[in-house]
Amino acid sequence: STTDLQGYAPICLGLEDFYTRRLYLRIQDCFGRPISSAPDAWFDVVERYSNDNNKTLIRTTKKSRCLNLGSYNYLGFAASDEYCTPRAIETLKRFSPSTCSSRVDGGTTSLHNELEEYVARFVGKPAAVVFGMGYVTNSAILPVLIGKGGLIISDSLNHNSIVNGARGSGATIRVFQHNTPSHLDSVLREQIAEGQPRTHRPWKKIIVVIEGIYSMEGELCKLPEIVAVCKKYKAYVYLDEAHSIGAVGKTGRGVCELLGVDTADVDIMMGTFTKSFGSCGGYIAGSKELINYLKNNCPAHLYATSISPPAAQQIISSIKVILGEDGSNRGAQKLARIRENSNFFRSELQKMGFDVLGDNDSPIMPIMLYNPAKIPAFSRECLKQNVAVVTVAFPATPLLLARARICISASHTKEDLMKALEVFSEVGDLVGIKYFPAEPNKQ
Ligand code: PMP
């Protein structure tokens, strides 16, 4: 790891080409390492090494049992669950893994309708439509909502699926400074005069697109302030809750519940099932008129195979657990646990002197590495001690803002978190990423 640091100091000069071509080859083992079990609090990581000339990867079948600090399994449903798993297996036997048909042909089972009712009720909107993939939900829905003559105002750190959807729509795109309502206000002011009715302005439609929790920053969106600006200019609000639905709010209802915003003020609520619900797919929730319009016009609804039945059942079951409809209070316990775990872990990391991004209650906490040469050092040293972390680098972040992105789950125990803190403290000293003075006795 010391060699990595020394050999790649030129990166600090911003030599992006050098970085992407040379460093990436050397650190391939830090990305895409195969996992051979469910993404629970602990999982099996297949060991993989670079050979001597750092070009070819040699795969071994040796597995290490590692503490998992990288998956978005916020509530621990992506594991064997006493309520969800038997029902998913039963559904697999009854319906098979696929409907082999689109929603409008033979691909709507009773489960799909039940799922849409549960999602609408859970997120607090009159209706919902579900899709087989979260990514596609953004990239296929935005072009149906808006087109040429429309304006999308997008947060500068929005997810790639939003960026692709926005570009594919043909609408004009403006970007506002990440999570900065005052800048959103000035972008909107430039485009329209305040208070003009929707029909009296140069744009057919304006949609402001934001996320509930930003996945590379661990930061909650400033939803009340952004909603107020959108109301002032009569712009529609599109909120991607991939990382916040199920993960935050007293009853898991996401950032509206956490930040006290009425869901009626968010026109289009989007989310994915790949995080808190331990399944796959995505949803859009909104008014009955909006959902009917999408069902009649969205190619990803009309022409794509519907969400897999066992995946749909998994989502219904996990929502039932969260709502307490399984007859236990496990849902409430999971929600309390993820909040406690996240806030405990974040404050302990800060006390040790790490530079941690994000807000309280967010289960995502990026630990800043800054210099990308620290990626392999941090990742490999943690792995040596059976702690698996996700590192994020250019082009997903600016070149000199590399980070380790920690995701906390309700299924982590206090002992798991203590182990991770011990390993991070040691590796943090080794790699030199404790940028602030530690509080006494937290060295
Ligand atoms: N939106 C956001 C904000 C995301 O972070 C992601 C992926 N993590 C997606 C959409 C795409 O969701 P999925 O992985 O479920 O396809």
Side-chain angles (χ1 to χ4, degrees):
S1 46
T2 330
T3 322
D4 286 322
L5 292 178
Q6 286 163 354
Y8 290 94
I11 292 156
C12 299
L13 303 175
L15 302 174
E16 294 179 6
D17 184 50
F18 177 86
Y19 167 60
T20 44
R21 285 198 285 125
R22 298 287 302 282
L23 180 69
Y24 189 73
L25 275 177
R26 284 198 61 152
I27 65 173
Q28 281 188 50
D29 63 310
C30 301
F31 303 103
R33 191 179 276 275
I35 305 301
S36 64
S37 66
D40 204 0
W42 288 76
F43 62 177
D44 294 330
V45 177
V46 174
E47 290 186 14
R48 209 159 63 148
Y49 306 102
S50 315
N51 72 359
D52 284 347
N53 69 15
N54 296 310
K55 291 215 170 99
T56 319
L57 292 170
I58 299 169
R59 206 171 278 199
T60 73
T61 48
K62 192 164 165 253
K63 292 178 213 159
S64 307
R65 191 86 184 137
C66 289
L67 179 58
N68 176 6
L69 291 172
S71 303
Y72 307 126
N73 181 18
Y74 298 133
L75 293 182
F77 285 118
S80 187
D81 182 90
E82 63 192 64
Y83 185 81
C84 302
T85 308
R87 284 165 176 79
I89 294 171
E90 215 174 278
T91 308
L92 175 67
K93 286 186 188 152
R94 181 167 163 217
F95 287 100
S96 97
S98 174
T99 61
C100 302
S101 200
S102 79
R103 287 292 302 274
V104 284
D105 299 324
T108 297
T109 67
S110 48
L111 280 175
H112 291 83
N113 291 334
E114 191 185 353
L115 173 60
E116 287 175 344
E117 280 163 26
Y118 262 99
V119 170
R121 181 150 71 85
F122 186 65
V123 305
K125 279 289 185 189
V129 55
V130 297
F131 298 89
M133 194 178 173
Y135 189 99
V136 166
T137 309
N138 277 331
S139 59
I141 282 292
L142 280 163
V144 184
L145 289 174
I146 192 164
K148 214 163 176 283
L151 173 67
I152 292 177
I153 308 186
S154 184
D155 186 286
S156 62
L157 293 187
N158 272 343
H159 189 258
N160 178 271
S161 53
I162 296 173
V163 174
N164 265 342
R167 286 184 182 154
S169 73
T172 300
I173 303 168
R174 294 278 178 273
V175 172
F176 73 99
Q177 277 162 22
H178 171 58
N179 216 6
T180 311
S182 58
H183 190 240
L184 172 64
D185 188 294
S186 63
V187 172
L188 274 159
R189 197 169 342 113
E190 258 171 36
Q191 302 300 326
I192 49 169
E194 198 177 311
Q196 273 190 348
R198 278 187 173 132
T199 46
H200 292 130
R201 55 191 185 191
W203 304 106
K204 284 186 192 158
K205 193 186 283 179
I206 300 178
I207 302 182
V208 172
V209 190
I210 50 172
E211 294 181 20
I213 293 182
Y214 289 88
S215 61
M216 296 298 154
E217 315 299 309
E219 192 184 12
L220 298 168
C221 77
K222 298 200 171 111
L223 191 61
E225 297 85 346
I226 288 175
V227 161
V229 174
C230 292
K231 269 192 181 170
K232 183 165 141 191
Y233 294 97
K234 298 189 171 63
Y236 294 105
V237 181
Y238 182 114
L239 172 66
D240 176 337
E241 288 231 70
H243 293 274
S244 46
I245 194 71
V248 298
K250 194 160 185 293
T251 62
R253 291 337 206 269
V255 279
C256 287
E257 183 178 39
L258 182 71
L259 303 172
V261 172
D262 189 344
T263 53
D265 289 337
V266 178
D267 305 282
I268 305 126
M269 296 185 78
M270 181 271 170
T272 68
F273 301 122
T274 43
K275 281 87 178 156
S276 299
F277 307 101
S279 186
C280 59
Y283 67 84
I284 296 284
S287 67
K288 285 205 164 102
E289 296 72 21
L290 171 76
I291 300 305
N292 276 341
Y293 174 78
L294 295 178
K295 285 189 169 180
N296 288 320
N297 291 283
C298 181
H301 180 81
L302 300 169
Y303 307 121
T305 299
S306 59
I307 189 168
S308 156
Q313 180 58 61
Q314 164 75 12
I315 305 158
I316 295 171
S317 304
S318 56
I319 294 179
K320 282 187 176 174
V321 175
I322 298 172
L323 293 171
E325 289 182 10
D326 63 329
S328 80
N329 66 346
R330 285 194 311 128
Q333 283 168 352
K334 280 175 181 289
L335 289 164
R337 185 72 167 275
I338 191 171
R339 195 164 42 245
E340 264 167 44
N341 279 356
S342 303
N343 292 342
F344 167 73
F345 203 70
R346 177 182 299 282
S347 86
E348 291 300 301
L349 287 174
Q350 283 164 342
K351 284 183 205 162
M352 284 177 183
F354 288 105
D355 187 358
V356 186
L357 303 188
D359 293 311
N360 262 357
D361 279 10
S362 161
I364 303 174
M365 44 207 84
I367 300 178
M368 294 309 289
L369 305 174
Y370 292 108
N371 183 343
K374 295 189 177 189
I375 290 172
F378 188 75
S379 167
R380 290 173 189 159
E381 290 301 322
C382 288
L383 205 60
K384 271 190 207 161
Q385 303 205 47
N386 296 82
V387 173
V389 294
V390 166
T391 45
V392 196
F394 179 83
T397 67
L399 188 67
L400 293 178
L401 295 181
R403 61 201 67 178
R405 204 265 317 271
I406 308 304
C407 292
I408 295 298
S409 166
S411 57
H412 288 130
T413 62
K414 193 71 182 266
E415 294 71 46
D416 294 339
L417 300 182
M418 294 309 288
K419 175 186 164 75
L421 289 168
E422 222 170 86
V423 171
F424 284 177
S425 179
E426 202 179 296
V427 176
D429 286 331
L430 185 72
V431 180
I433 52 163
K434 289 182 178 169
Y435 295 104
F436 299 110
E439 277 188 16
N441 78 33
K442 287 287 171 196
Q443 303 285 342

